[in-house]
Amino acid sequence: MNIGKYKFDSKEAALKKTNSLGTATDENGNEYPTHKHTIVHLGNIVLEQAVIDEDGEVETEAVLSEDWHVDVLWNGLEPNEDGTIDHPYGWKSKSVNIDGDGVHAFFGLSYDALKF
Amino acid sequence: MAKPTLALIPATQGSKFYSVLPSNGVGDFDFTRSGSATRINKDGLIETVSNGVSRLNYPLVDGVVNGCPSHLLEPTKQNVLQRSEEFDNAYWINNGVTINANQTISPSGQLNADLLTGVSGGFGVVRFSTWSATNKVASCFAKKGSTNLFKIANVSSSNRYVLFDLSNGTVSEESVGWTGFIENYGNGWYRCTAISNNETGTFSLGVTAASESVYMWGAQLESGYKTSYIPTTTAAVTRSAETATDSADAATFNSLEGVLYIETSALSNDLSERRFGLSDGTSSNVIRVGYTSVSNIIIAVVYNGSNQAVMTYTSSDITQNSKIAVKYKENDFALWVDGVERSTDTSGSVFSENTLNSLDFNIGGGSHFYSKTKDIRVYNTALTDQELQTLTTI
């Protein structure tokens, strides 16, 4: 089990990448993932909180990231020949490495302990 | 009555849903969940269950544990609120209240519930731009302080809310398009849930006037429908989806005739496909029960390349516990729910011998049977009507 944090240029680019992990369509036309990973689209995350005055009015709007952020809890990735486990092919270039969980965590799991 | 070849009554947590029969463990379901989750334990308290461990969840009636536990199986959900138990944290914007931290015992059994007292203005703690069309299901545990009224609101320009009465456990007021629910967790605590009308705006928890106070703990805002509590601190937190699959083998089941029985309740009447049943490990040969895209329908299907029997029953509420049995035999199919034969089909074939070899909480790929399940049995003979009535009577 590993946790990766990623950023993409756009929502569309992120969806294309996450969908490439595998989807199928049931007889009712509903699409569902065929992989066992947990994917969380965080979107344009807040980089700086809005500043609010005493009356509750917004003095300064929040600053959002231009990138589209995605957290992935990877399950069952195959180890490399040297026994290490890395991001799946094509994901490493989109990865970000932070200290601590940042704005999102998986329940009971530490990003610092499970990151690549 | 014949003895079931497979029987499961939830009694133990672990990496499997453990079956009673067969006694050699072949009937155990493989359980998966990456990460932790919470449950209601035998003392009626909310506690965290470790990574990959299944959950025995105890039912509360009037705030007291009453009855046997169920296996709780939930989809992935995210609590988008941070500091879910720390309303004095700067994450929560104070809108005219005083917060005294850790004033009483919370539903977790710990001294970590805060007291909110109205002072002026909005009488709540708020988060701007938090309600959304996606994240519209808000819940918070609340206990009467000096007032019995607790409010979950969108305090943006058109103030909308649900008002809860913490004395008698009722929903007092609902704004147009909003829905409220309240559940008794005992010791004066209620889990109050408000579902907004797909609006954006400022999320607020609080009281209605100055000097009024309530105790609060465990705030949650999520998509879809309310699920088990997800505690948060410095970040939004996702609980991963759970699966229970691949119980038993071809030797356990009779592909020619039998009964599939489950005592269960849906987590929500959310119109999603949820399927539990026997199969050959593919979607090609299936006996399944479940819920559909039609409100409160319980459906049973026997499929072996084409539908041999499709039987339905409209329940009054699929989130209430039901005893469901499907009888299958060539030209003799029936759906029993809660002691009554609800539908039959007297024409259709079944399967070749040794076709059925797996029992799963997911038939067809994406149709996970998210539920609270209290009993599962498979019989290798088509039971009589008298036996089916006895089996399914609540």
Side-chain angles (χ1 to χ4, degrees):
Chain A
M1 196 157 47
N2 297 88
I3 297 174
K5 290 180 178 286
Y6 306 91
K7 63 179 182 181
F8 295 85
D9 293 340
S10 65
K11 178 181 180 180
E12 290 71 26
L15 287 170
K16 184 178 178 182
K17 194 67 179 171
T18 55
N19 287 340
S20 71
L21 294 170
T23 61
T25 304
D26 67 19
E27 72 266 27
N28 297 318
N30 301 312
E31 196 170 78
Y32 61 91
T34 54
H35 56 78
K36 295 181 178 177
H37 317 300
T38 303
I39 297 169
V40 179
H41 286 264
L42 302 173
N44 305 113
I45 63 174
V46 176
L47 300 177
E48 292 180 31
Q49 296 288 341
V51 177
I52 312 296
D53 67 18
E54 291 179 348
D55 298 322
E57 299 296 323
V58 177
E59 283 185 350
T60 309
E61 296 283 350
V63 177
L64 300 180
S65 68
E66 292 185 359
D67 295 312
W68 187 267
H69 290 253
V70 176
D71 280 6
V72 182
L73 176 56
W74 299 102
N75 276 299
L77 293 179
E78 291 291 327
N80 298 321
E81 290 180 355
D82 62 2
T84 61
I85 294 178
D86 207 349
H87 302 270
Y89 179 78
W91 283 81
K92 193 169 187 174
S93 62
K94 305 297 182 186
S95 69
V96 294
N97 188 356
I98 63 173
D99 292 324
D101 290 316
V103 299
H104 173 259
F106 291 98
F107 192 176
L109 302 175
S110 163
Y111 168 70
D112 287 332
L114 294 172
K115 65 184 177 183
F116 294 95
Chain B
M1 187 185 303
K3 184 179 176 181
T5 53
L6 186 145
L8 185 151
I9 298 170
T12 308
Q13 296 186 158
S15 61
K16 294 179 180 292
F17 283 3
Y18 297 101
S19 62
V20 179
L21 296 173
S23 57
N24 62 2
V26 73
D28 298 347
F29 291 81
D30 296 329
F31 173 81
T32 65
R33 184 192 59 247
S34 300
S36 302
T38 61
R39 67 157 182 159
I40 301 170
N41 69 15
K42 63 180 172 54
D43 299 317
L45 299 175
I46 294 174
E47 71 173 16
T48 297
V49 178
S50 300
N51 174 28
V53 176
S54 64
R55 290 181 285 173
L56 286 180
N57 196 67
Y58 285 78
L60 293 173
V61 177
D62 296 331
V64 178
V65 169
N66 186 331
C68 297
S70 58
H71 275 315
L72 176 58
L73 203 67
E74 290 187 307
T76 186
K77 282 297 188 77
Q78 182 184 161
N79 184 356
V80 301
L81 300 175
Q82 298 174 28
R83 305 290 180 182
S84 65
E85 301 168 10
E86 304 164 73
F87 300 103
D88 60 330
N89 187 279
Y91 170 82
W92 292 100
I93 297 159
N94 190 313
N95 190 22
V97 294
T98 298
I99 301 291
N100 295 105
N102 305 329
Q103 294 298 298
T104 194
I105 304 292
S106 77
S108 70
Q110 299 172 308
L111 181 62
N112 59 0
D114 295 352
L115 180 67
L116 176 148
T117 304
V119 177
S120 61
F123 309 119
V125 287
V126 305
R127 286 293 301 175
F128 296 101
S129 304
T130 303
W131 287 107
S132 70
T134 300
N135 296 311
K136 63 176 189 176
V137 181
S139 57
C140 186
F141 294 87
K143 178 177 179 174
K144 182 178 181 297
S146 68
T147 181
N148 56 323
L149 296 177
F150 175 63
K151 189 177 186 181
I152 299 178
N154 180 346
V155 292
S156 294
S157 54
S158 57
N159 187 21
R160 294 181 182 278
Y161 60 88
V162 175
L163 192 63
F164 303 90
D165 187 326
L166 303 174
S167 285
N168 55 21
T170 58
V171 175
S172 295
E173 289 181 45
E174 296 167 320
S175 291
V176 174
W178 284 52
T179 307
F181 302 96
I182 189 165
E183 301 162 275
N184 189 343
Y185 272 69
N187 194 31
W189 284 101
Y190 291 89
R191 191 177 191 188
C192 304
T193 301
I195 303 175
S196 81
N197 191 23
N198 300 321
E199 299 153 359
T200 59
T202 299
F203 180 85
S204 174
L205 301 168
V207 292
T208 60
S211 300
E212 291 183 351
S213 64
V214 293
Y215 297 97
M216 301 188 338
W217 181 82
Q220 185 155 315
L221 183 63
E222 61 194 308
S223 63
Y225 55 86
K226 179 207 65 185
T227 61
S228 63
Y229 173 53
I230 304 169
T232 67
T233 54
T234 62
V237 173
T238 295
R239 181 193 60 239
S240 294
E242 298 170 308
T243 65
T245 56
D246 201 18
S247 165
D249 55 16
T252 309
F253 307 122
N254 184 352
S255 297
L256 303 180
E257 67 171 286
V259 170
L260 170 64
Y261 168 79
I262 185 167
E263 180 181 353
T264 192
S265 56
L267 302 181
S268 171
N269 182 31
D270 70 337
L271 312 186
S272 64
E273 285 280 342
R274 286 146 289 176
R275 299 175 179 179
F276 170 83
L278 295 160
S279 75
D280 63 351
T282 75
S283 300
S284 300
N285 293 287
V286 168
I287 299 170
R288 61 177 167 88
V289 297
Y291 311 113
T292 77
S293 57
V294 181
S295 179
N296 283 316
I297 287 282
I298 295 172
I299 190 169
V301 175
V302 179
Y303 179 90
N304 61 6
S306 61
N307 285 331
Q308 299 303 312
V310 177
M311 298 169 287
T312 61
Y313 166 64
T314 304
S315 165
S316 58
D317 183 357
I318 60 172
T319 66
Q320 297 300 307
N321 193 54
S322 286
K323 295 185 173 184
I324 305 166
V326 185
K327 178 179 69 171
Y328 61 96
K329 187 177 182 180
E330 186 172 11
N331 300 326
D332 185 9
F333 304 92
L335 170 64
W336 286 74
V337 181
D338 296 341
V340 178
E341 187 178 58
R342 306 292 184 174
S343 180
T344 62
D345 191 326
T346 57
S347 175
S349 61
V350 284
F351 312 93
S352 305
E353 267 189 272
N354 299 316
T355 298
L356 302 174
N357 60 17
S358 186
L359 183 60
D360 296 273
F361 280 77
N362 178 18
I363 298 289
S367 304
H368 295 274
F369 194 77
Y370 296 122
S371 57
K372 295 177 181 176
T373 296
K374 300 179 89 168
D375 193 349
I376 295 168
R377 300 183 210 182
V378 179
Y379 294 85
N380 273 354
T381 56
L383 302 179
T384 65
D385 286 357
Q386 181 61 49
E387 290 171 326
L388 286 162
Q389 184 180 45
T390 301
L391 180 66
T392 60
T393 295
I394 291 280

